[in-house]
């Protein structure tokens, strides 16, 4: 009792373990809507070209819509014997419309079919990712705008370095997520290419009108080489690569949120709704969302390694290895979208402790560079000024005080160029507002950056 669409030349049934092993239905059922959309366009094109009749196309398309309904109502029965979503749908179509279902696969192979399905799916998901990235960027810009003026320590080597505006720090992430959006927009162009009509690998003898199928499916272009079209998964590798970079941005932001919400920093408090407790330590309130996003970034980087390793060294054209492309791709889409959405919801639920940040910026000699700049401004060569300021730091450090705790007399021992105006020069706020270079942390620059972002995001700032 053979029962496979491809079993004509087989005399034995497939081993049960092989059926389970080769089946991909648990994963690729995600593609059911794209698969049906692609088939309906294929039918309409074939009817238009007289390869099948209009009546047949009509019956088959209606049948496919009923199958879609069955899947969406959860009545559909999946079985490993039918391998993948393509064969499930074709077999269910046979149950609905009878023998005419056998005409659906004319001039088509599962090789170009699956390539088409993934592209239809990924185009939609890429657009959704781009939209949600914009929503996240709006939340970031709003938060930067709301807390404009709050000063915090900026770090290098995780050591306090120079004071910056909290908004400037946050807007750095705006830049990262903006680049992520641009990357997705760019790779979308290469995903938006229609492979159907390549058939198994060489094209087909049926007079398919590929241009019509492209139009019906809303693709920008058709593929130019049938062998490439059925072998190409660059678009999936690109998507996962861009997603991995985006997740790395999230992992860095997550790390900062984890640190900032600790008692050691106390810069932020994440609201109760976005934290969880400990089953043993009653006092605990943990930044789990950030920790999980940080952890999930590892999974997405792993997915990138997986798909690249699957594709590596594959000879043309289709190889069954490529069936393994879907798990890393779907997992990446789901993980990335969930991470973007949860951060978009969480950021407005974070309290910013401006006073604590500012106190931290006032301690740890964050004004040492500016003392050197002060002396340089008064005529001392910078290298010498650097050394003078360094000696002043060592002197203050030995007394357990900050530079501004020293008297003018004490400071003048390091250089006669020092005058009373140094006190005002070295306040945290003034240090920030003097960093006026394009892209710097000065209030004026950051206000401009926020305003520019608001224009780019087409949003109002309250
Ligand atoms: N399930 C297969 C995949 O995802 C569909 C293509 C199968 N083609 C074939 N010749 N076995 O890659």
């Amino acid at each position: 009792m053979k029962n496979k669409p491809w079993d004509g030349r087989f005399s034995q049934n497939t081993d049960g373990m092989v059926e389970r092993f080769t089946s991909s239905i648990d994963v690729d059922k995600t593609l059911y809507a794209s698969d049906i959309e692609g088939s309906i366009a294929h039918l309409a094109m074939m009817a238009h070209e007289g390869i099948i009749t209009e009546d047949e196309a009509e019956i088959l398309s209606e049948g496919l819509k009923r199958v879609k309904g069955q899947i969406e109502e959860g009545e559909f029965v999946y079985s490993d014997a039918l391998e993948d979503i393509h064969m499930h749908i074709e077999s269910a179509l046979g149950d609905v419309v009878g023998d005419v279902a056998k005409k659906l696969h004319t001039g088509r192979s599962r090789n170009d079919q699956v390539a088409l399905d993934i592209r239809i799916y990924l185009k939609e998901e890429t657009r959704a990712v781009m939209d949600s990235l914009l929503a996240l960027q709006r939340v970031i810009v709003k938060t930067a705008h709301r807390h404009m003026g709050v000063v915090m320590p900026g770090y290098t080597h995780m050591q306090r370095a120079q004071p910056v505006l909290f908004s400037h720090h946050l807007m750095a992430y705006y830049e990262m997520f903006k680049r992520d959006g641009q990357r997705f927009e760019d790779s979308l162009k290469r995903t938006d290419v229609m492979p159907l009509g390549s058939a198994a690998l060489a094209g087909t003898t049926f007079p398919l009108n590929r241009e019509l199928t492209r139009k019906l499916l809303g693709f920008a272009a058709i593929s130019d080489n049938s062998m490439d079209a059925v072998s190409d998964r660059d678009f999936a590798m690109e998507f996962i690569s861009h997603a991995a970079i985006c997740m790395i941005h999230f992992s860095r932001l997550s790390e900062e949120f984890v640190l900032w919400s600790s008692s050691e920093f106390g810069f932020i408090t994440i609201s109760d709704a976005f934290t969880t407790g400990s089953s043993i330590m009653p006092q605990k309130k943990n930044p789990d969302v950030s920790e999980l996003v940080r952890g999930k970034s590892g999974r997405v980087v792993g997915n990138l390694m997986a798909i690249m390793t699957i594709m590596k060294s594959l000879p043309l054209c289709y190889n069954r290895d490529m069936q393994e492309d879907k798990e890393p791709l779907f997992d990446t889409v789901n993980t990335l979208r969930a991470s973007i959405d949860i951060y978009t919801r969480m950021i407005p639920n974070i309290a910013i402790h401006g006073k604590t940040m500012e106190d931290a910026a006032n301690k740890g000699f964050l004004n040492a560079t500016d003392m050197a700049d002060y002396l340089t401004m008064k005529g001392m060569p910078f290298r010498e000024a650097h050394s003078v300021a360094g000696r002043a730091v060592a002197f203050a450090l030995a007394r357990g005080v900050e530079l501004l705790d020293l008297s003018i007399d004490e400071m003048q021992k390091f250089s006669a160029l020092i005058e009373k105006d140094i006190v005002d020069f070295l306040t945290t706020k003034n240090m920030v507002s003097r960093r006026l270079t394009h892209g710097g942390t000065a209030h004026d620059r950051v206000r401009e950056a926020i305003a520019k972002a608001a224009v780019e995001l087409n949003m109002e700032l309250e």
Side-chain angles (χ1 to χ4, degrees):
M1 198 231 21
K2 300 185 291 160
N3 60 357
K4 301 273 198 292
W6 42 254
D7 66 9
R9 60 101 71 215
F10 286 76
S11 52
Q12 281 183 318
N13 286 327
T14 317
D15 182 273
M17 196 189 272
V18 171
E19 267 183 356
R20 280 191 298 281
F21 187 75
T22 55
S23 163
S24 57
I25 188 62
D26 285 346
V27 175
D28 62 24
K29 59 184 169 196
T30 300
L31 294 174
Y32 79 92
S34 321
D35 195 73
I36 289 172
E37 190 186 337
S39 290
I40 290 176
H42 184 60
L43 289 166
M45 179 277 291
M46 286 202 293
H48 187 266
E49 301 305 312
I51 301 166
I52 57 171
T53 68
E54 294 285 353
D55 278 355
E56 287 168 338
E58 170 79 20
I59 293 166
L60 290 167
S61 300
E62 286 312 309
L64 283 168
K65 286 176 198 156
R66 281 182 54 195
V67 173
K68 189 174 180 203
Q70 290 171 3
I71 295 175
E72 285 169 356
E73 258 126 60
E75 310 163 355
F76 203 79
V77 187
Y78 296 101
S79 109
D80 285 335
L82 284 169
E83 268 184 50
D84 56 25
I85 190 63
H86 323 295
M87 280 169 36
H88 273 82
I89 289 173
E90 200 180 319
S91 152
L93 181 64
D95 295 341
V96 171
V97 302
D99 266 358
V100 63
K102 293 176 178 162
K103 295 205 170 187
L104 169 63
H105 212 50
T106 312
R108 189 174 75 170
S109 153
R110 273 185 295 156
N111 299 350
D112 59 347
Q113 185 179 359
V114 71
L116 174 70
D117 292 2
I118 305 173
R119 285 174 185 268
I120 292 176
Y121 159 86
L122 195 56
K123 272 172 61 177
E124 194 179 319
E125 292 296 337
T126 304
R127 290 194 182 111
V129 165
M130 285 164 60
D131 283 348
S132 57
L133 272 175
L134 288 177
L136 171 69
Q137 289 169 58
R138 288 194 185 97
V139 161
I140 290 175
V141 172
K142 243 187 223 159
T143 309
H145 179 68
R146 183 168 321 130
H147 298 287
M148 185 60 213
V150 171
V151 175
M152 68 180 290
Y155 297 81
T156 65
H157 312 265
M158 207 53 227
Q159 310 289 318
R160 286 179 201 172
Q162 290 176 356
V164 294
L165 290 181
F166 168 71
S167 305
H168 193 49
H169 193 128
L170 212 51
M171 288 299 286
Y173 286 95
Y174 166 76
E175 297 292 333
M176 295 180 227
F177 292 124
K178 178 175 146 184
R179 287 196 297 275
D180 290 326
Q182 291 168 343
R183 269 186 281 270
F184 285 116
E185 189 174 6
D186 187 60
S187 60
L188 182 58
K189 289 183 224 146
R190 286 175 291 280
T191 308
D192 202 2
V193 176
M194 209 287 301
L196 205 66
S198 305
L201 74 162
T204 167
T205 55
F206 292 95
L208 303 188
N209 182 343
R210 298 191 60 211
E211 200 33 56
L212 177 56
T213 313
R214 174 196 74 74
K215 244 186 249 150
L216 292 171
L217 289 171
F219 272 84
I222 57 175
S223 54
D224 285 329
N225 181 302
S226 61
M227 297 178 77
D228 175 47
V230 292
S231 310
D232 175 28
R233 293 293 183 274
D234 291 2
F235 61 96
M237 289 190 278
E238 277 193 76
F239 179 90
I240 301 178
S241 168
H242 300 166
I245 296 174
C246 184
M247 288 300 295
I248 283 174
H249 295 154
F250 273 118
S251 78
R252 299 180 73 174
L253 183 56
S254 296
E255 176 72 11
E256 307 215 272
F257 283 177
V258 169
L259 286 172
W260 292 353
S261 63
S262 69
S263 322
E264 280 69 15
F265 277 79
F267 287 2
I268 61 172
T269 302
I270 303 171
S271 86
D272 284 358
F274 287 82
T275 47
T276 60
S278 155
S279 55
I280 175 169
M281 297 166 283
Q283 87 282 11
K284 289 300 285 293
K285 185 170 133 161
N286 300 326
D288 300 59
V289 169
S290 292
E291 293 170 272
L292 271 169
V293 169
R294 191 175 57 184
K296 284 172 192 288
S297 68
R299 266 234 321 278
V300 174
V301 172
N303 289 339
L304 178 60
M305 291 311 114
I307 194 160
M308 305 246 289
T309 314
I310 290 162
M311 295 307 295
K312 181 191 164 296
S313 309
L314 284 189
L316 299 187
C317 300
Y318 179 82
N319 298 273
R320 193 64 180 267
D321 313 46
M322 289 160 74
Q323 180 166 290
E324 294 290 316
D325 61 356
K326 287 165 211 66
E327 243 180 290
L329 180 63
F330 297 168
D331 182 64
T332 297
V333 165
N334 296 337
T335 306
L336 177 65
R337 290 193 61 182
S339 302
I340 298 172
D341 290 347
I342 195 115
Y343 257 81
T344 305
R345 259 172 98 87
M346 183 173 77
I347 289 174
N349 285 283
I350 296 178
I352 309 299
H353 305 309
K355 171 87 170 64
T356 311
M357 290 186 184
E358 211 149 329
D359 287 349
N362 282 325
K363 271 188 214 93
F365 304 98
L366 284 81
N367 48 9
T369 312
D370 286 67
M371 180 182 238
D373 286 355
Y374 172 91
L375 293 167
T376 308
M377 211 179 61
K378 300 220 162 174
M380 189 181 285
F382 180 75
R383 271 291 153 240
E384 200 180 320
H386 183 286
S387 157
V388 169
R391 270 178 275 136
V393 167
F395 179 81
L397 206 52
R399 277 168 179 65
V401 297
E402 292 289 321
L403 287 176
L404 283 181
D405 296 325
L406 301 176
S407 68
I408 297 294
D409 283 351
E410 282 171 317
M411 286 201 237
Q412 280 171 343
K413 295 217 178 77
F414 298 97
S415 168
L417 293 174
I418 294 176
E419 293 170 279
K420 271 213 302 286
D421 61 347
I422 196 167
V423 175
D424 196 44
F425 195 87
L426 292 189
T427 60
T428 301
K429 191 157 177 255
N430 285 340
M431 287 193 290
V432 169
S433 65
R434 276 197 306 272
R435 285 175 161 73
L436 283 159
T437 39
H438 179 84
T441 194
H443 300 70
D444 288 351
R445 289 297 92 84
V446 175
R447 261 187 227 104
E448 282 165 17
I450 291 172
K452 179 169 175 252
V455 171
E456 285 168 357
L457 294 167
N458 197 8
M459 66 187 278
E460 303 274 342
L461 291 170
E462 77 273 6

